[in-house]
């Protein structure tokens, strides 16, 4: 495996991701930020953060697969959420859980969540991008 995920001593253990990813592969894959569009460019889950997070993760998985990668190869995930407040974490994690169930694997790479004022169009509540390393 090209990726080793760890939680070093001295840093908190977070249930949904690891603090460090060590990559030993030879190809680096960068995805564009994925929003809650279906294959036809129609927004999925207008007004529903959980549904949009789920669709974003499914789109990231599709983008990674096109490069021969999966979430097991991810070394960094970044999520941008419109008007983020901590009380939205439950909805966000619901979307992650639903995507993980559909994909058969939970994304556990180091992750960053950034609150933003707006994304590309008003209907989009979240955008997620990934960096992966494959052999």
């Amino acid at each position: 495996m090209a990726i080793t995920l760890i939680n070093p001593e001295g840093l908190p253990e977070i249930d949904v991701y690891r603090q460090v990813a060590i990559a030993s592969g030879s190809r680096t894959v960068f995805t564009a930020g994925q929003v809650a569009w279906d294959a036809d460019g129609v927004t999925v889950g207008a007004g529903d953060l959980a549904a949009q997070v789920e669709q974003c993760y499914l789109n990231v998985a599709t983008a990674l697969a096109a490069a021969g990668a999966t979430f097991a190869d991810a070394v960094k995930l970044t999520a941008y959420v419109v008007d983020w407040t901590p009380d939205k974490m439950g909805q966000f994690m619901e979307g992650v859980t639903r995507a993980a169930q559909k994909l058969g694997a939970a994304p556990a790479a180091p992750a960053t969540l950034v609150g933003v004022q707006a994304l590309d169009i008003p209907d989009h509540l979240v955008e997620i991008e990934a960096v992966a390393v494959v052999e």
Side-chain angles (χ1 to χ4, degrees):
M1 170 146 314
I3 308 299
T4 301
L5 301 175
I6 63 171
N7 279 318
E9 279 191 47
L11 293 177
E13 277 196 38
I14 308 297
D15 291 338
V16 297
Y17 66 87
R18 303 301 170 266
Q19 295 285 3
V20 176
I22 303 165
S24 60
S26 59
R27 291 186 306 126
T28 305
V29 178
F30 299 86
T31 71
Q34 297 298 309
V35 293
W37 275 331
D38 66 13
D40 296 320
V42 176
T43 299
V44 173
D48 182 342
L49 180 60
Q52 289 201 18
V53 168
E54 177 184 3
Q55 185 64 43
C56 288
Y57 272 99
L58 295 175
N59 290 350
V60 168
T62 298
L64 290 172
T70 69
F71 275 107
D73 302 304
V75 295
K76 182 71 169 93
L77 301 169
T78 305
Y80 303 92
V81 183
V82 174
D83 296 327
W84 175 257
T85 55
D87 63 305
K88 294 180 181 178
M89 184 59 82
Q91 296 169 50
F92 187 91
M93 291 311 302
E94 178 184 337
V96 172
T97 299
R98 292 187 336 210
Q101 289 171 343
K102 286 184 178 176
L103 296 169
T112 301
L113 190 153
V114 180
V116 296
Q117 184 175 359
L119 291 170
D120 58 332
I121 63 171
D123 282 347
H124 289 158
L125 304 175
V126 61
E127 183 170 331
I128 300 171
E129 61 187 21
V131 178
V133 175
V134 293
E135 296 193 50

